[in-house]
Each structure stands twice: as structure tokens, then as C-alpha cells.
Amino acid sequence: MKRSLTSVATAMTLLVAGTHSVLGAEPLSVLHWWTSGGESKAIRVLKDDMNKQGYQWKDFAVAGGAGAAAMTALKTQVISGNAPSAAQVKGPLIQDWASQGVLVNIDQSATDWKAHSPAQIDNTMKANGHYVAAPFSVHRINWLWINKADLDKVGGTPPTTWPEFFALADKFRAAGITAVAHGGQPWQDMTIWETVVLSQGPDFYRKALVDLDQKTLTSPQMVQVFETVQKIRTYFDKGYHGRDWNLATAMVISGSGGMQFMGDWAKGEFANANRKSDVDYVCAAAPGTSNAFTYTVDAFVFFQQNGKKEATPGQLALARTIMSPDFQQQFSLYKGSIPIRLDVPMDKFDDCAKKSRTDELATIKSGGFLPSLAFGELHSSATAGAITDAVTNFMNSNEDPEEGVRKLAAAAKVK
């Protein structure tokens, strides 16, 4: 009996100690918008890693593919004095938050980031010379996803030009297949439009969307862009309005949809459905864009906690974990992206990811490695929002392409 009581007492002591250890762990509140199947699986890797390190992960996921709802929630939290430990942010918003003096620098965790990251991306993670954000992975936007069985059924090949694309779309439609699976949401409309702009060449894209050059924005070539987009729209099904991107991807997975324009996070959905590249689906650079690479980079920024201007141990550990080679690899394998770190081996990745890395390296050298306007990597939210409105209004109306171009040029002047 005495031994039993001693054993019980010892067990209770250990249990209480363990409970205090958990309760005393630094909480990490994390705001993000990764909620689809492949995305949830990817972020769970980070959550598990942080829990194993003794930190208490508090997940704050806000659904919405482009993150608009998440950004609204983030503003509310910061204004109310309840900023999360970390939040998913990208592009100019990193600098915007830094300029408000609410972020902490994470230089202690970034000792080797510069040596192993594309310079163009590494620079965007800094404010006033200090790292304030940790990047997860590189997503390529200008992909075209094709159901392999549908492609074989109609005897088609991945299109490299717009005439080839429309010829294949006609074959799909004749076979009773929705040629282009699409979700009628502003950011998805922008994905298609931006990709067609890119098909006019990296220099045209840079002048139009990076420089916002009025001569380029109002050129006959831009009118052709709008005409091409208008024709693509005729291959959507009637139910496309408001459809989430992953549901459009599901159409391609099932074969009810032949093709989809979408970033490579779509590959995470294919993987989650146990589909394999070149067996069940084909990934190809969108027509006319094989020499270019539009990218978006997910990153976490780190907010001051309890009025302290220094990063907490948990924030530094989170940043360090995000950019560790092992996590970079596993996250991208689930997410469909490729690692930020150029020193991560690609042997475990599929052919689509390997092609993405090859094209990334080639376009970095050639000048075709370009930030995406559609995914928040360019310009202020006011400018990007005005351009998005112009494009979406065009894609959901019978507006004349020349009128669409005029509205685009006016939108580019919004500051």
C-alpha cells in the first residue's frame, strides 16, 4: 500500500509538473488563411514543429484564398491592441506594417538567409535593413493545369500558344467537358488576366504592371490582352460565379473540367487527392509564358507583444523553424510550392516542382522572374484594388476591350 501511494504521489507530481510546463509555455497566436486541404496539411507541419519545441500554438485561420478577410481581421486585432505573434502577409504590406512601428526584427534567426535565398525575395523580407518577416515558399502563378485523361481523350497536347489553347478548348467543349474550370472571384479573374499580360513577354509585363507605364497600358497590345481574356471567358461553365479556387481545381481532378489557370498551390490539392503529375494531370507554363515566372511569396511578419520591441523567444524560434531546410522541404511538398532556400535538395519533389525550380533559376538570370500583381507583390492596396476592379468589371460584363483598357489606365493612376 505504501509503495502504491508513493507511486501515485510521484505520478501526480509528474502530471502537475507537466501541466505547469504546458501552461507556462509561450503562446504563439498565428493568423493565416491556409484552410484548404493541401494548405491545412502544410501549416500543420509548422504547428506540430512548434508544439514539439515547447510552444503553445494558437491557430487563427481566416478562410479566403487571397487573404482579404484575413487582412481585415489582422487590422482589427492590431488596432484593438491584441496583435498576433505572427501573421501571414506578403509584398508591400510587409513594409506597410513595418512603417507603423509595430513589428519586431528577427535578425537573430536569419543568420544564413541571404546566402541561400533569391536576392529579389530576400530584400522584401527586410525593413530598414533588418529582417521583419520569414518567407515560407515560392509559388509560381503562371501555370496551366490539365486533366491528363481528358487531354488523352480528345487527342490534345499542352498548348504553348493562344491559338493552340483555344483549339484544345474547343475539343474539350465538343467532348462535353468544361474547357476552363474557373471561380468568378476578383483574385481568380486577375490570375487569368495577369497571365495573359505575361504572355506578351517579360518586358511588356514589367512596363505594364511593375512600372505602370501609361503608354504600355493603353497600347494596341494591351487591347489584344483584353480580347484574349474575353475569349477565354466564353469557355467557363455557367456556375463559375463565386466558386472557390479549390472547387475549380476539384473539377480538373475529377475530369469535369479540362484546364485551370492557377498558381502551384493547386498541386497541393492534386496531391491531397492522391493524383500524380504526368499520370493524372499535366502542369504546363501558360501559353506564351515558358520564359517567365510570376511569383508570390507567403511570409509571416512578427508583431510586438505586450508592448515589447524585441522579439520573444517563441517568435525567434518560429522564424528559425520556417527557414530551416527540413521544414522548407516538407512544407513545400504538402503545399505544392518550391522552397525559398535554394540549397534544399529537390530529389523528393515531383516533376512539376523540379520544372518550377529550373525555370526559377533561369528567369532570375534572364530577368523574367517577376512579382505578381494579382497576389499582392506589387503596389499599394489602393492601386492594386483599383486595377482589380477594372479587370473584374470587364470579365463580368460585355464591356468593349478598348473601354476596358481605358479603365485600366485610369485605375493605374490611383494612389
Side-chain angles (χ1 to χ4, degrees), residues 118-168:
Q120 195 167 337
I121 293 173
D122 185 70
N123 290 336
T124 64
M125 299 298 120
K126 301 174 184 175
N128 300 317
H130 297 284
Y131 286 96
V132 294
F136 279 81
S137 57
V138 181
H139 278 296
R140 187 181 192 178
I141 308 303
N142 57 305
W143 282 114
L144 180 67
W145 307 92
I146 311 171
N147 181 283
K148 182 67 162 55
D150 287 350
L151 188 65
D152 293 341
K153 179 180 179 180
V154 302
T157 57
T160 59
T161 65
W162 290 116
E164 289 178 1
F165 171 84
F166 290 120
L168 178 58

Side-chain angles (χ1 to χ4, degrees), residues 60-364:
F60 187 18
V62 182
M71 291 302 93
T72 299
L74 177 59
K75 290 177 184 177
T76 300
Q77 286 193 348
V78 175
I79 291 172
S80 65
N82 191 34
S85 306
Q88 184 182 356
V89 171
K90 62 178 63 178
L93 280 177
I94 295 174
Q95 306 303 319
D96 288 350
W97 282 114
S99 68
Q100 294 181 42
V102 293
L103 301 184
V104 293
N105 93 57
I106 50 171
D107 290 345
Q108 292 180 55
S109 297
T111 54
D112 68 341
W113 294 8
K114 183 176 181 179
H116 299 294
S117 306
Q120 195 167 337
I121 293 173
D122 185 70
N123 290 336
T124 64
M125 299 298 120
K126 301 174 184 175
N128 300 317
H130 297 284
Y131 286 96
V132 294
F136 279 81
S137 57
V138 181
H139 278 296
R140 187 181 192 178
I141 308 303
N142 57 305
W143 282 114
L144 180 67
W145 307 92
I146 311 171
N147 181 283
K148 182 67 162 55
D150 287 350
L151 188 65
D152 293 341
K153 179 180 179 180
V154 302
T157 57
T160 59
T161 65
W162 290 116
E164 289 178 1
F165 171 84
F166 290 120
L168 178 58
D170 286 336
K171 290 181 179 180
F172 281 144
R173 185 156 60 186
I177 300 165
T178 297
V180 180
H182 181 62
Q185 297 171 334
W187 70 271
Q188 293 189 64
D189 293 340
M190 278 292 289
T191 298
I192 291 180
W193 178 81
E194 177 184 272
T195 298
V196 179
V197 173
L198 183 67
S199 72
Q200 306 304 303
D203 288 341
F204 181 84
Y205 180 97
R206 187 177 294 103
K207 290 177 181 178
L209 302 192
V210 180
D211 300 338
L212 298 179
D213 176 64
Q214 283 289 312
K215 184 177 180 180
T216 305
L217 290 171
T218 57
S219 65
Q221 201 169 352
M222 186 60 79
V223 174
Q224 291 177 12
V225 167
F226 276 75
E227 290 172 346
T228 300
V229 169
Q230 192 173 59
K231 188 171 182 179
I232 292 172
R233 190 185 67 180
T234 65
Y235 293 93
F236 300 164
D237 67 308
K238 293 181 179 180
Y240 79 93
H241 293 287
R243 178 185 289 141
D244 287 333
W245 70 270
N246 54 312
L247 298 182
T249 304
M251 292 173 65
V252 180
I253 291 172
S254 70
S256 65
M259 299 180 282
Q260 181 188 21
F261 294 94
M262 188 52 59
D264 52 17
W265 50 89
K267 187 156 60 70
E269 298 302 298
F270 283 104
N272 204 42
N274 296 315
R275 300 301 196 272
K276 296 182 179 180
S277 62
D278 293 329
V279 175
D280 303 302
Y281 65 94
V282 175
C283 56
T289 71
S290 61
N291 64 337
F293 189 119
T294 40
Y295 68 84
T296 185
V297 175
D298 290 309
F300 275 179
V301 291
F302 299 85
F303 287 88
Q304 294 177 10
Q305 299 293 293
N306 302 316
K308 296 180 180 179
K309 295 185 178 182
E310 294 79 26
T312 68
Q315 288 175 318
L316 292 172
L318 180 57
R320 189 165 52 249
T321 302
I322 290 169
M323 274 293 279
S324 66
D326 287 346
F327 173 77
Q328 286 268 310
Q329 181 185 73
Q330 192 59 62
F331 181 84
S332 282
L333 284 170
Y334 284 146
K335 188 73 159 53
S337 51
I338 58 175
I340 286 286
R341 294 185 68 109
L342 300 174
D343 59 340
V344 174
M346 297 296 292
D347 54 295
K348 291 185 179 180
F349 288 82
D350 62 22
D351 291 341
C352 296
K354 289 175 181 175
K355 176 174 172 53
S356 189
R357 173 49 58 84
T358 298
D359 290 350
E360 177 195 29
L361 295 175
T363 55
I364 287 173

